Amino acid sequence: MPSSTQEHYHAFKRWLGPCLGELACPTQVVGARHIPATGPALLVCNHRSWMDPYLISSRTRRMIHWVMAPFVASIPFLGKLMQEAGGLPILRNSDRRVDALIGDVVAELRRGSLVGIFPEGTDPFLTPRAPDKTSPFHRTFARAALAADIPGLKIVPACIYPIREAQLAPLPAAWLRALAPDEPIFQLESLELRVYQEALVLIGEPLTPDAGYQTLDVRGSIATSFRHEQRIRALVKQVKSRVDALLREAAEWSQLRAPRAPLRG
């Protein structure tokens, strides 16, 4: 029997799907078969627009537990709705918010869920980049994937590429600052929000990190800690390179308008 969270998610999806369908943003999805039908998995995607999580969720069959930026949970109605639909909010004003987020992601993965995360965070909104470029990836997703210590855990790289997009009229950031006074993007004078008019979603073949990682306690040796940090950095680099490669391929597709075989490996 579906849980209330699943029911809220699919109700949200049924309502939002048509809104982001062919009328609002025609979207081609390539490689959806790479998302495991069951079992724990981590979907890692670039982040360019507020539409990103909704666009992917409305076009994939499986429920995705998206990691939510701290201020999203503060938005009246929408924040509550997203949490009820399985969103994982990042805690605000907490020295241990990264540890708490890792714990939430690990718990969800160990329940066999599909977790979605944008490791660029809100950086692309602070420093906009070209459609085929990404900001540096935060390491939280890699720490969570390794700390989960799940043999065979799938990390699925994905990208959203805007074939056509538009900028909404600048939104005064002061209007939103009350929701999250410490949110960096609300310190700007105004926000320029991108809206996709046509998009391409590429989902690559999953990769599997080595099993056997255990979170160190205070007794862990410096040498052991260094080796674990090396593994985290290597995983971040590996996943980012996959996402970047997907973006480059998507850019080529948008120019040719003639899709080729999905990216391998």
Side-chain angles (χ1 to χ4, degrees), residues 54-205:
Y54 313 108
L55 196 64
I56 294 180
S57 291
S58 67
R59 285 164 172 79
T60 53
R61 293 183 178 181
R62 191 170 173 190
M63 179 177 179
I64 305 174
H65 294 264
W66 288 106
V67 173
M68 300 164 50
F71 67 88
V72 175
S74 302
I75 299 176
F77 179 70
L78 180 61
K80 179 66 173 177
L81 184 61
M82 288 194 64
Q83 289 186 70
E84 290 185 352
L88 303 176
I90 301 173
L91 296 178
R92 262 203 348 239
N93 302 324
S94 172
D95 292 337
R96 297 184 59 81
R97 69 180 189 175
V98 172
D99 292 336
L101 174 60
I102 290 172
D104 288 344
V105 173
V106 167
E108 207 59 62
L109 290 173
R110 288 178 176 172
R111 281 193 283 267
S113 301
L114 171 62
V115 176
I117 191 167
F118 301 107
E120 296 172 278
T122 58
D123 293 351
F125 299 88
L126 291 166
T127 308
R129 293 176 179 259
D132 60 343
K133 305 296 182 183
T134 58
S135 301
F137 279 16
H138 298 284
R139 304 192 308 165
T140 307
F141 81 92
R143 291 177 59 191
L146 294 173
D149 196 31
I150 299 174
L153 174 67
K154 304 297 184 184
I155 299 181
V156 185
C159 81
I160 301 179
Y161 184 86
I163 296 175
R164 293 184 296 117
E165 65 180 0
Q167 292 275 8
L168 297 179
L171 178 67
W175 292 2
L176 301 172
R177 204 166 293 148
L179 297 176
D182 59 341
E183 174 57 47
I185 64 172
F186 293 161
Q187 308 310 312
L188 302 174
E189 182 176 344
S190 62
L191 302 178
E192 294 186 355
L193 302 179
R194 298 185 186 92
V195 177
Y196 300 139
Q197 297 170 312
E198 185 178 0
L200 174 63
V201 176
L202 296 186
I203 302 172
E205 294 184 2

Side-chain angles (χ1 to χ4, degrees), residues 226-243:
F226 179 70
R227 287 198 297 272
H228 288 176
E229 287 298 313
Q230 284 184 310
R231 295 184 64 192
I232 291 170
R233 286 195 296 269
L235 182 57
V236 172
K237 182 178 180 180
Q238 183 181 19
V239 175
K240 187 177 187 299
S241 69
R242 297 285 186 99
V243 174

Side-chain angles (χ1 to χ4, degrees), residues 11-22 24 54 57-59:
F12 193 27
K13 180 176 174 178
R14 284 193 300 271
W15 170 77
L16 190 62
C19 296
L20 291 178
E22 293 304 314
Y54 313 108
S57 291
S58 67
R59 285 164 172 79

